[in-house]
């Protein structure tokens, strides 16, 4: 049987595989897997690694995640308070930038790898690498400079600054976030992450007008990714659609994997990528909370039928809420394995 | 002339050009357009036009929603004190994010639109306890409680809309007060609003204005 890495490599190269790669992000579910409250679970890189390895083996999907929760990046920049829920991801509990003067005080850590807030994630990455490196791609999650300020000052204040200025402070903040991104992606690569999910809702024209995308998003993305290159980078705009910018992103940035929104048209996305990279069809996994097995299978079948012909396609999930019944996770994955199978010649 | 001003204002709003929109308003006032006409013949139609553009999937972005609401709110704040007589309030809304939710953008867009539509808005901020939503609705004699949630667990959790519904029921307030919800989870599951006990949901902050004024009309004598 092929490994997840072999399936991913085959999809990238357009060579033969048993089925399409299936990527699944079960994050908070790791706590349930180990019978722990979320706050206790996320305190330990060993626990997160153990749960990720266990869940991958249990469900059979093709990747491993080193991501704890999205707010973790704010901790690296000085946020000391996360607010935990019992059935969902923690929220950033303290905005580091409360007023514009705070931008000048924002410090980008010199060395991410030795930062105390990175220690547990680093432990997790090392365990994943030691246990499954080379067999299953290890995924890391990074927030683009254009989006990072939302975690530092809140989306509301960031959008206000982005649209209305002051532009000198906006650019100062973006430069710091971009410097942080460059260090962070280098740290993840050094620690063994294979897949770097580059999260940027501001890379979608659902969020900002095309003019802002061209004049701000693209140049800042170029700055983020310039020094380290785009190897292993996945373009992802959260739940926002981005089919309209795929061609520009390929031409300007050369990113090789496109993790669509569940609202994007998969066939159109694949047509726009046009063999220049991988296209990932992403399921609206919020519906897994209550869809029947029949509905889940029908949706997975529809998505894979739209994306699989011609290969260079993978199946993925979006937020995977904590309360999705385990049987629905299994139904989705088994349908993806079944409908994603390639016929042997 | 009003039509020309409206077109110029719309163009500035769609371009997310706040300064230009405010300049159009200032020039219009200088030409004799009244503050009442600015609000009711320029600002409100601009919001309605944006609602139409959204419903027709003309590619209106979140940033445009935000700026339309922001500009409308600023213009209304400036114009209303200049009205010849105080405008009649359409109704009162209590708004906030559900308990455990710290995402305030959606409610800010909604509040800006409602203000332009002459709805009085009391913004309770982020992470609002269900009891507080109801207490404040009673204190302000509000017709609608609007709850914004950006995360699945805060949208469907026991301390969000579900609990607000339960409290309204327990206190016999369901005929007097309606609940509207919004936020990403509702867009990905259009039936979720029913499951959490809301009366209506809005797909975005701009159309929330229409949804909420509709709920006000249902209960306002």
């Amino acid at each position: 049987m092929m490994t997840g890495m072999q399936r991913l490599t085959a999809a990238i190269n357009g060579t033969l595989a048993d089925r399409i790669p299936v990527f699944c992000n079960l994050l908070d579910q790791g706590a349930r897997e180990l019978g722990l409250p979320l706050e206790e679970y996320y305190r330990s890189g060993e626990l997160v690694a153990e749960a990720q390895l266990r869940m991958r083996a249990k469900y059979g999907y093709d990747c491993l995640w080193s991501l704890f929760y999205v707010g973790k990046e704010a901790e690296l920049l000085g946020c000391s308070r996360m607010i935990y829920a019992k059935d969902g991801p923690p929220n950033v509990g303290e905005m580091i930038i409360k007023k514009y003067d705070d931008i000048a005080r924002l410090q980008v850590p010199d060395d991410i790898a030795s930062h105390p807030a990175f220690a547990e994630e680093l432990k997790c990455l090392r365990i994943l690498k030691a246990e499954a490196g080379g067999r299953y791609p290890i995924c890391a999650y990074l927030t683009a400079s254009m989006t990072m300020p939302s975690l530092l000052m809140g989306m509301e204040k960031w959008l206000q600054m982005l649209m209305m200025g002051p532009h000198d402070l906006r650019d100062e903040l973006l430069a710091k976030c971009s410097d942080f991104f460059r260090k962070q992606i280098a740290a993840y690569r050094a620690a063994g992450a294979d897949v770097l999910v580059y999260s940027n809702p501001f890379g979608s024209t659902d969020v900002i007008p095309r003019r802002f995308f061209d004049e701000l998003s693209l140049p800042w993305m170029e700055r983020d990714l310039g020094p380290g290159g785009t190897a292993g980078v996945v373009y992802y705009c959260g739940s926002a659609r981005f089919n309209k910018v795929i061609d520009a992103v390929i031409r300007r940035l050369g990113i090789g994997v496109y993790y669509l929104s569940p609202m994007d048209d998969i066939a159109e996305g694949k047509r726009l990528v046009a063999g220049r990279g991988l296209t990932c069809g992403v399921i609206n996994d919020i519906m897994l909370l209550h869809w029947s097995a029949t509905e889940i299978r029908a949706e997975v079948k529809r998505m894979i039928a739209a994306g699989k012909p011609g290969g260079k396609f993978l199946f993925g999930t979006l937020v995977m809420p904590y309360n999705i019944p385990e049987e629905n996770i299994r139904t989705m994955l088994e349908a993806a394995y079944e409908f994603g199978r390639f016929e042997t010649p | 002339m009003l039509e020309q001003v409206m077109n110029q204002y719309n163009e500035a709003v769609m371009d997310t050009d706040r300064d230009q929109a405010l300049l159009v308003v200032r020039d219009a006032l200088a030409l004799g357009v009244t503050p009442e006409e600015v609000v009711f013949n320029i600002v409100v139609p601009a919001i309605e036009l944006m609602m139409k553009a959204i419903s027709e999937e003309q590619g209106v972005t979140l940033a445009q929603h935000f700026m339309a609401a922001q500009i409308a709110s600023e213009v209304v704040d400036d114009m209303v004190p200049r009205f010849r007589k105080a405008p009649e309030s359409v109704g009162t809304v209590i708004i906030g994010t559900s308990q455990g939710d710290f995402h305030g953008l959606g409610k800010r867009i909604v509040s800006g639109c409602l203000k332009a539509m002459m709805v009085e808005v009391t913004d309770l901020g982020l992470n609002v306890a269900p009891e507080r939503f109801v207490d404040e609705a009673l204190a302000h004699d509000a017709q609608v409680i609007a709850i914004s949630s950006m995360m699945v667990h805060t949208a469907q959790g026991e301390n969000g809309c579900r609990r607000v519904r339960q409290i309204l029921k327990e206190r016999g307030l369901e005929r007097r007060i309606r609940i509207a919800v919004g936020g990403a989870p509702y867009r990905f599951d259009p039936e979720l609003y029913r499951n959490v006990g809301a009366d209506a949901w809005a797909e975005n902050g701009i159309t929330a204005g229409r949804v909420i004024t509709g709920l006000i009309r249902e209960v306002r004598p």
Side-chain angles (χ1 to χ4, degrees):
Chain A
M1 190 160 93
M2 295 182 84
T3 65
M5 189 64 95
Q6 288 169 330
R7 289 187 186 109
L8 181 63
T9 306
I12 291 167
N13 296 334
T15 54
L16 202 62
D18 56 350
R19 61 165 169 80
I20 60 168
V22 174
F23 275 40
C24 182
N25 48 298
L26 297 174
L27 303 179
D28 301 334
Q29 286 85 351
R32 187 163 53 210
E33 191 67 27
L34 301 185
L36 295 170
L38 281 161
E39 189 166 2
E40 188 181 338
Y41 171 69
Y42 281 131
R43 271 203 293 267
S44 161
E46 284 100 339
L47 291 176
V48 173
E50 184 189 342
Q52 286 300 320
L53 288 163
R54 216 191 262 192
M55 289 189 295
R56 201 225 60 76
K58 175 171 145 182
Y59 292 113
Y61 49 79
D62 291 316
C63 64
L64 285 160
W65 271 95
S66 70
L67 171 65
F68 286 33
Y69 44 83
V70 172
K72 197 89 184 141
E73 289 172 301
E75 292 180 62
L76 282 164
L77 284 167
C79 172
S80 56
R81 185 166 170 251
M82 298 303 297
I83 294 172
Y84 285 85
K86 62 178 176 27
D87 55 357
N91 264 287
V92 173
E94 173 205 23
M95 291 300 161
I96 304 166
I97 300 171
K98 296 183 183 70
K99 50 189 187 305
Y100 289 162
D101 289 351
D102 294 335
I103 292 170
R105 284 191 282 272
L106 183 68
Q107 294 281 328
V108 177
D110 285 333
D111 180 13
I112 302 273
S114 65
H115 193 289
F118 196 64
E120 294 305 317
E121 219 171 334
L122 197 56
K123 270 187 214 166
C124 172
L125 268 161
R126 284 181 177 149
I127 296 167
L128 296 179
K129 200 72 188 169
E131 296 290 324
R135 290 185 296 127
Y136 291 95
I138 297 168
C139 305
Y141 179 97
L142 300 101
T143 301
S145 58
M146 274 284 284
T147 296
M148 191 66 199
S150 319
L151 293 176
L152 307 179
M153 64 198 302
M155 179 71 164
E156 182 183 350
K157 287 187 180 148
W158 171 233
L159 198 50
Q160 178 173 325
M161 182 183 245
L162 190 66
M163 305 305 292
M164 301 191 320
H167 292 160
D168 54 340
L169 282 180
R170 175 196 74 188
D171 292 344
E172 183 183 344
L173 177 57
L174 281 167
K176 287 188 176 186
C177 289
S178 185
D179 290 346
F180 172 71
F181 176 87
R182 290 168 167 194
K183 290 183 178 183
Q184 202 189 7
I185 196 167
Y188 275 120
R189 281 186 167 129
D194 305 294
V195 172
L196 302 144
V197 176
Y198 181 53
S199 174
N200 191 12
F202 286 86
S204 159
T205 49
D206 274 356
V207 176
I208 50 167
R210 182 66 194 230
R211 178 169 62 85
F212 280 76
F213 175 83
D214 290 332
E215 292 172 7
L216 277 171
S217 288
L218 270 176
W220 283 101
M221 289 194 285
E222 282 178 322
R223 188 185 189 282
D224 288 351
L225 297 166
T230 56
V233 171
V234 175
Y235 195 77
Y236 167 69
C237 298
S239 58
R241 296 173 297 180
F242 62 80
N243 272 355
K244 287 179 183 166
V245 301
I246 284 176
D247 189 58
V249 173
I250 292 177
R251 282 189 288 103
R252 287 278 291 272
L253 304 175
I255 291 174
V257 186
Y258 294 85
Y259 207 91
L260 303 179
S261 160
M263 302 297 190
D264 273 317
D265 179 325
I266 292 172
E268 189 199 12
K270 204 170 163 195
R271 182 183 62 75
L272 290 162
V273 173
R276 295 174 288 178
L278 279 187
T279 307
C280 182
V282 177
I283 192 164
N284 175 3
D285 51 29
I286 290 175
M287 296 302 285
L288 296 180
L289 287 162
H290 57 74
W291 261 343
S292 67
T294 308
E295 288 170 314
I296 294 168
R297 282 179 60 79
E299 176 61 3
V300 174
K301 186 178 181 183
R302 180 196 70 77
M303 291 171 60
I304 292 179
K308 190 174 95 168
K312 294 212 166 200
F313 178 73
L314 64 152
F315 177 91
T317 54
L318 185 70
V319 289
M320 292 303 282
Y322 181 84
N323 285 323
I324 296 174
E326 198 172 306
E327 65 193 75
N328 287 6
I329 298 173
R330 282 193 190 281
T331 302
M332 172 192 73
L333 291 168
E334 280 161 17
Y337 305 149
E338 178 187 335
F339 298 119
R341 199 179 302 132
F342 291 111
E343 299 302 324
T344 46
Chain B
M1 182 180 67
L2 262 180
E3 194 180 335
Q4 192 188 349
V5 175
M6 196 178 84
N7 289 340
Q8 288 168 347
Y9 178 84
N10 270 334
E11 200 174 315
V13 167
M14 292 305 273
D15 277 350
T16 66
D17 190 340
R18 168 182 170 270
D19 294 346
Q20 178 61 26
L22 298 183
L23 185 66
V24 169
V25 169
R26 201 172 63 210
D27 289 349
L29 289 170
L31 289 170
V33 175
T34 67
E36 287 87 343
E37 284 173 326
V38 167
V39 172
F40 298 117
N41 297 94
I42 298 171
V43 174
V44 173
I47 288 176
E48 285 166 353
L49 202 70
M50 189 164 276
M51 286 177 191
K52 186 168 176 281
I54 293 167
S55 70
E56 290 172 357
E57 296 191 5
Q58 291 177 21
V60 184
T61 67
L62 178 66
Q64 285 168 309
H65 297 183
F66 174 75
M67 290 305 290
Q70 174 70 27
I71 296 165
S73 176
E74 284 186 48
V75 173
V76 169
D77 277 347
D78 190 23
M79 293 299 115
V80 168
R82 305 189 203 189
F83 278 16
R84 273 176 296 176
K85 61 174 190 174
E88 193 180 336
S89 166
V90 168
T92 303
V93 171
I94 300 296
I95 195 166
T97 70
S98 48
Q99 191 154 45
D101 203 303
F102 294 80
H103 302 83
L105 177 65
K107 74 174 175 57
R108 178 159 164 184
I109 297 172
V110 177
S111 298
C113 287
L114 289 173
K115 196 188 280 186
M117 297 165 103
M118 298 299 124
V119 176
E120 290 175 52
V121 181
T122 298
D123 185 347
L124 302 182
L126 309 175
N127 187 28
V128 179
E131 294 76 11
R132 191 162 167 240
F133 273 118
V134 179
D135 291 344
E136 294 285 344
L138 283 174
H140 290 85
D141 200 17
Q143 294 82 34
V144 176
I145 293 172
I147 308 170
S148 173
S149 309
M150 275 301 288
M151 302 166 90
V152 174
H153 70 283
T154 59
Q156 65 161 22
E158 60 197 28
N159 288 318
C161 182
R162 281 184 211 279
R163 179 67 187 138
V164 174
R165 168 59 66 200
Q166 195 182 1
I167 297 168
L168 290 182
K169 198 170 183 178
E170 286 165 3
R171 297 196 199 171
L173 296 168
E174 287 178 294
R175 283 170 182 266
R176 273 177 62 186
I177 301 171
R178 295 280 191 260
I179 308 174
V181 291
Y186 299 102
R187 277 204 306 278
F188 283 91
D189 181 358
E191 288 301 307
L192 181 59
Y193 82 99
R194 287 188 210 276
N195 297 336
V196 299
D199 295 295
W201 77 288
E203 193 171 356
N204 56 69
I206 299 290
T207 46
R210 181 156 52 201
V211 169
I212 289 171
T213 49
L215 289 177
I216 291 171
R217 277 195 294 274
E218 281 179 26
V219 288
R220 196 157 196 204

